[in-house]
Amino acid sequence: MFTIRSILVISFFFTTFCFGNEGKKVDIVSYSPYLLPKENIPYKYTLLRDNFDVTFFCGLYKYVETFSKDNPDLKKIIFFDYCEDPNTALLPKSKMICFKWEAIKIPLRFYDFYYRVYTFDDDLIDNVKFFKFYYPVLQPMLADIPTFNEKKLCAWVATNWIPKRLEMLDFFSTLGSDALHLYGVPPPQYRNSDMDKGLIPGFYSGEEKLHVLKNYKFCICFENTHTTPGYITEKIFDAFAAGCVPIYWGPNNIEQYVPDNCFIDYRKFENNQKMYEYITSMTALEYEQYIENIRIFLQSDKAYLFSQENFERILYDAASS
């Protein structure tokens, strides 16, 4: 039986050798510099650049404003997130593709600018106009994970303090400075508190973050929204890579993508106190079973869907469509 990975590889070689390399231009327009290639990440978008003349732009609105006319060599314009500028409608729709990165729900009229949309939102997927993509956030687990007894209790890396996160932070603030260590940008009332451990240097989801998290048994991972099915970001995967068990709150269909024996499902607790009692009473044996479950998952076809390799495959297929 073919695995997901083998099917993707076969698809790549079929597309490449049966249809050939058209060698045309592809513009990728991003709202965020994080989504563009970096010198220290040479593999990013390699497949696309090996087969097309790719130009990267940071600034959705600027691109729309400066687009003068359609170039016959321009095969695709790929927007990493959508643009609200109505002049987007003046761009050639037959070449316009949108990868919807952010969690916010938008009016469907903005999708009319594009002939294809790639989204994590399972409610929209129809494989006609709306296609599935997965955040490319998979990383292998670090090799040098401290033991259960060497780890501190709980960490949290956050900057965006939506109400549910604030509620959890308020709860931990009553438990003493060893209950939770907070990294990132805390809300004003908690800055310079005993919980506040400052910013983690390095790149987004970089090794520096993983080498901090590996020293904790648990990491609070609350997505920016839990109402969009299929919205799964780096938060839970960074914890996995650090050998840290996530306390996770995300989409209701998370188990469709990640086995429930790999994380602590925040939804299952009556209140924060019950959740805290659960993690503080966990034995080393129970904890190590979580870690082993995570290791197995990270090697699975389900986890592969969230790999950079799979995302490049989807991106290449979009450009070739």
Side-chain angles (χ1 to χ4, degrees):
M1 180 179 293
F2 288 118
T3 65
I4 293 173
R5 193 173 312 193
S6 63
I7 291 171
L8 290 169
V9 171
I10 291 169
S11 172
F12 166 67
F13 283 106
F14 179 81
T15 303
T16 301
F17 293 107
C18 293
F19 292 97
N21 173 13
E22 297 185 39
K24 289 191 174 182
K25 181 175 170 57
V26 172
D27 286 354
I28 295 185
V29 190
S30 177
Y31 80 99
S32 168
Y34 164 70
L35 300 173
L36 301 180
K38 296 181 176 63
E39 289 183 4
N40 68 323
I41 311 179
Y43 60 83
K44 202 167 191 181
Y45 311 133
T46 300
L47 177 60
L48 193 68
R49 290 197 286 190
D50 283 348
N51 291 275
F52 294 98
D53 176 18
V54 185
T55 305
F56 297 94
F57 300 87
C58 187
L60 304 174
Y61 296 89
K62 185 176 180 181
Y63 182 87
V64 172
E65 291 170 1
T66 58
F67 189 91
S68 56
K69 62 179 180 178
D70 191 14
N71 182 335
D73 293 329
L74 180 59
K75 183 171 178 62
K76 290 292 183 293
I77 306 170
I78 299 176
F79 273 60
F80 281 176
D81 232 59
Y82 72 102
C83 182
E84 294 179 311
D85 188 338
N87 289 323
T88 309
L90 302 178
L91 275 61
K93 182 174 180 177
S94 63
K95 300 182 179 183
M96 292 281 286
I97 294 174
C98 177
F99 276 76
K100 179 67 171 63
W101 286 86
E102 290 298 323
I104 184 173
K105 294 275 190 178
I106 66 172
L108 290 178
R109 68 178 183 275
F110 289 122
Y111 292 132
D112 290 338
F113 298 150
Y114 311 93
Y115 90 97
R116 271 197 182 201
V117 176
Y118 288 80
T119 177
F120 48 79
D121 188 345
D122 290 337
D123 282 342
L124 292 178
I125 305 301
D126 59 11
N127 291 318
V128 177
K129 176 167 182 165
F130 294 93
F131 297 84
K132 180 75 176 183
F133 91 97
Y134 309 81
Y135 279 80
V137 290
L138 178 66
Q139 299 187 68
M141 187 183 292
L142 295 174
D144 55 338
I145 303 299
T147 66
F148 177 82
N149 291 325
E150 291 172 328
K151 292 185 175 187
K152 292 165 277 192
L153 182 63
C154 192
W156 198 349
V157 183
T159 58
N160 178 20
W161 293 99
I162 57 178
K164 199 66 178 179
R165 291 175 181 160
L166 277 173
E167 177 188 312
M168 174 70 92
L169 189 56
D170 289 340
F171 167 76
F172 269 100
S173 72
T174 67
L175 301 175
S177 59
D178 291 333
L180 176 69
H181 289 173
L182 183 62
Y183 296 89
V185 181
Q189 63 270 35
Y190 291 109
R191 289 174 191 168
N192 301 314
S193 68
D194 290 338
M195 289 190 298
D196 182 9
K197 302 303 177 183
L199 293 170
I200 299 174
F203 289 103
Y204 188 79
S205 293
E207 287 189 9
E208 294 87 352
K209 178 181 179 181
L210 303 188
H211 283 283
V212 168
L213 291 182
K214 75 176 186 179
N215 296 302
Y216 294 87
K217 297 173 184 174
F218 307 100
C219 178
I220 298 172
C221 302
F222 283 14
E223 298 287 10
N224 290 333
T225 179
H226 65 282
T227 59
T228 302
Y231 179 67
I232 303 165
T233 67
E234 84 290 340
K235 296 172 182 62
I236 190 170
F237 280 91
D238 287 353
F240 288 161
C244 179
V245 177
I247 301 169
Y248 187 71
W249 191 47
N252 288 336
N253 66 341
I254 178 62
E255 296 94 340
Q256 180 179 329
Y257 299 96
V258 181
D260 61 4
N261 61 4
C262 293
F263 63 93
I264 297 168
D265 191 341
Y266 180 73
R267 299 170 301 174
K268 294 182 178 180
F269 296 95
E270 181 182 344
N271 52 48
N272 290 328
Q273 180 62 38
K274 295 291 186 183
M275 179 276 301
Y276 182 70
E277 291 171 0
Y278 179 76
I279 64 174
T280 52
S281 63
M282 187 177 295
T283 66
L285 185 61
E286 291 170 328
Y287 184 83
E288 290 303 328
Q289 185 60 61
Y290 272 106
I291 299 300
E292 180 59 22
N293 295 339
I294 292 169
R295 285 197 179 97
I296 293 171
F297 167 67
L298 291 179
Q299 298 296 318
S300 70
D301 284 345
K302 279 191 173 183
Y304 178 79
L305 293 173
F306 294 87
S307 68
Q308 179 76 28
E309 182 182 359
N310 187 43
F311 176 73
E312 287 201 57
R313 172 73 258 159
I314 293 172
L315 184 61
Y316 176 79
D317 287 343
S320 304
S321 63

